[in-house]
């Protein structure tokens, strides 16, 4: 499929941070491979928005905050099931910084998420209760953007939840696979594709 971004399309870059890259606390296999791809893609867009996973120390999504629990285990939280993660993307740490080679200068907005101690936020739009907004939908609507291209980390968590919410909010949503990498925890990638397909998320290999 040949896709050309129009001048009111947005490239939404999810969580390209050191902790999700090789050597990081929650490293995604090959996570840093998205950096040159995203830098190339970003040149094609008039509008680029970045998200940054941004947790306070001791965040409730960290296994270390739940004695007796293990990393990658799911527990019940007041808002639903929550996977427990290694401590990652702690506010102000180098792990929370964008990958040093990611071209960030042209970003018009950086939206931070996951800063409330008691709730995680995978999606760029809503926290994991699926109700508490980050403000991104209002921003995009006020600027009359209707179509979003998604890239970043990880395909099966933050990219997936962002894509589903984007569709729920009525945005045309295109995931660019070359700019994404997955964690793939217990079938999460297969589930992500099924859910995104059902929600009408379009999927392309790359932009030509
Ligand atoms: C993410 C797990 C925990 C992601 C963020 O960016 O996909 N995954 N926090
Ligand atoms: Zn996180």
């Amino acid at each position: 499929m040949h896709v050309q971004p129009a001048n009111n399309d947005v490239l939404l870059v999810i969580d390209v941070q050191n902790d999700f890259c090789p050597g990081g606390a929650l490293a995604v296999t090959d996570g840093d491979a998205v950096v040159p791809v995203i830098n190339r893609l970003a040149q094609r867009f008039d509008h680029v928005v970045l998200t940054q996973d941004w947790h306070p120390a001791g965040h409730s999504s960290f296994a270390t905050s739940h004695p007796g629990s293990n990393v990658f285990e799911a527990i019940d939280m007041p808002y639903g099931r929550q996977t427990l993660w290694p401590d990652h993307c702690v506010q102000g740490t180098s792990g929370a910084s964008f990958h040093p080679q990611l071209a960030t200068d042209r970003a018009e907005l950086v939206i931070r998420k996951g800063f409330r101690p008691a709730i995680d936020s995978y999606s760029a739009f809503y926290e994991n209760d699926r109700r508490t907004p980050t403000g991104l939908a209002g921003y995009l609507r006020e600027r009359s953007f209707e179509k979003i291209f998604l890239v970043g980390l990880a395909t099966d968590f933050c990219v997936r939840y962002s894509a589903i919410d984007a569709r729920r909010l009525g945005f045309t949503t295109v995931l660019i696979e070359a700019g994404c990498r997955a964690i793939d925890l217990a079938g999460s990638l297969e589930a992500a594709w099924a859910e995104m397909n059902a929600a009408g998320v379009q999927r392309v290999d790359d932009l030509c």
Side-chain angles (χ1 to χ4, degrees), residues 3-12 38 40-48 106 108 147-151 176 207:
V3 185
Q4 290 285 352
N7 54 16
N8 60 339
D9 292 345
V10 179
L11 183 68
L12 179 57
I38 293 172
R40 165 173 59 77
L41 292 171
Q43 294 173 356
R44 306 270 300 275
F45 284 82
D46 286 347
H47 309 288
V48 179
R106 288 187 54 252
E108 294 175 354
K147 186 169 180 179
I148 299 165
F149 288 75
L150 269 169
V151 290
I176 308 172
L207 298 186

Side-chain angles (χ1 to χ4, degrees), residues 14-17 20 26 28 51 53 55 61-62 82-83 85-86 88-89 113 120-122 152-160 181 183:
I14 305 292
D15 299 0
V16 182
Q17 294 165 259
F20 298 121
L26 180 41
V28 177
T51 70
D53 210 37
H55 301 306
S61 74
F62 298 168
Q82 171 69 51
T83 300
W85 303 106
H88 67 279
C89 296
K113 61 186 181 63
D120 203 5
S121 185
Y122 294 150
L153 306 172
T155 319
D156 43 346
F157 286 93
C158 290
V159 176
R160 166 196 192 172
R181 289 295 183 280
I183 295 175

Side-chain angles (χ1 to χ4, degrees), residues 87-153:
D87 291 23
H88 67 279
C89 296
V90 173
Q91 296 171 0
T93 63
S94 56
S97 297
F98 291 115
H99 186 285
Q101 263 83 56
L102 183 72
T104 60
D105 289 353
R106 288 187 54 252
E108 294 175 354
L109 176 73
V110 176
I111 192 128
R112 287 173 167 170
K113 61 186 181 63
F115 50 76
R116 288 184 177 81
I119 183 166
D120 203 5
S121 185
Y122 294 150
S123 166
F125 295 96
Y126 292 103
E127 306 205 3
N128 284 9
D129 60 1
R130 317 309 299 275
R131 260 188 298 274
T132 304
T134 62
L136 180 58
Y139 174 89
L140 295 174
R141 284 177 175 156
E142 192 164 19
R143 296 197 59 195
S144 305
F145 296 135
E146 295 174 353
K147 186 169 180 179
I148 299 165
F149 288 75
L150 269 169
V151 290
L153 306 172

